[in-house]
Amino acid sequence: MKVSVVTAVMNGGDTLPQAIASLRAQTHPDIEHVVQDGGSTDGTLEYLGRHGHPNMALVSSPDSGIYHAINTGISRTTGDVVGLLHADDYLASPDIIAQVAEAMQDPQIDGVYGDLEYVARADANRVIRYWKAGDYAPARLRRGWMPPHPTLYLRRQVFERAGLYDPSYRISGDYDGMLRWLTTGQVRLGYIPQVMVRMRIGGVSNRSFAHMLRKSREDYRAIRRHNVGGFGTLLGKNLSKLPQFGRRP
């Protein structure tokens, strides 16, 4: 099974090496790395040229935002299954893609996800939050549940059937996309009960109060758009993060 991993990056030279190293260390034999660069000027392209994945497809061109870049990357993939690896993230162990491929042998599921650790930006060994996702059930969407987006891998047919990310969102396009795939798209998910990805804190969604406010507005727009609840769903989504700060694997 061929697994395509998409990385949309713009000046990610500080953290990209760890992401690339974690991908190169994967034991699964058939990985395609599709990199969509937005025009980096910090040495990202030079690093990829020297140390990129052996099966890397790199394009550097301007884009109108992260979700536009991700959509362009997905449209270039050729794998049976597609997932994302952001420049700030890295795969938690060398067998992650192999486990994804094994789980996706089940024809009854359309995608898989797992657990996520948030780590300090300056020290990737220091865990700040541990997100134990648990099994998916449609009723959980109304309580604000969602699969950890960096861990999500989907069959190519999901994007063909239910669409890509909506680039009109600046921060919550991942939440909107997952709600659409799980409701309108009727995607069936399997759960891998282990940490699949480690993600550095300090991303766009929590960079400032203004960004957090915009994220909440976009989250609420997605909730109403896909008819999974209202303000209570948004509140549940935010409150569910609090136990993650004290929980450990």
Side-chain angles (χ1 to χ4, degrees), residues 133-177:
D135 293 315
Y136 166 62
R140 298 186 72 186
L141 297 180
R142 289 192 170 272
R143 300 197 293 270
W145 183 90
M146 58 182 278
H149 181 244
T151 74
L152 183 65
Y153 286 77
L154 298 171
R155 297 193 194 276
R156 166 184 304 284
Q157 291 90 335
V158 170
F159 299 109
E160 296 170 351
R161 181 176 78 238
L164 297 168
Y165 296 88
D166 182 345
S168 69
Y169 289 86
R170 305 303 296 176
I171 299 175
S172 299
D174 49 354
Y175 185 43
D176 172 77

Side-chain angles (χ1 to χ4, degrees), residues 21-139:
S22 74
L23 188 61
R24 290 181 63 105
Q26 294 300 300
T27 59
H28 186 66
D30 198 356
I31 296 174
E32 172 188 58
H33 190 205
V34 175
V35 181
Q36 190 69 34
D37 177 80
S40 293
T41 58
D42 69 339
T44 290
L45 294 173
E46 291 77 7
Y47 179 85
L48 288 168
R50 294 193 304 269
H51 305 291
H53 191 275
N55 192 22
M56 179 182 67
L58 169 63
V59 168
S60 183
S61 62
D63 57 65
S64 60
I66 181 64
Y67 297 113
H68 175 225
I70 291 172
N71 286 345
T72 303
I74 292 174
S75 70
R76 294 171 46 221
T77 61
T78 62
D80 307 294
V81 175
V82 179
L84 305 181
L85 180 63
H86 296 303
D88 285 347
D89 306 346
Y90 64 98
L91 297 165
S93 63
D95 64 343
I96 296 300
I97 303 299
Q99 290 194 60
V100 168
E102 181 179 0
M104 295 298 287
Q105 296 294 336
D106 181 354
Q108 299 302 312
I109 63 173
D110 304 301
V112 295
Y113 65 94
D115 300 336
L116 175 71
E117 284 182 343
Y118 291 83
V119 299
R121 193 162 194 86
D123 180 6
N125 293 314
R126 184 163 71 90
V127 178
I128 306 297
R129 288 169 55 190
Y130 169 52
W131 184 349
K132 183 174 177 61
D135 293 315
Y136 166 62

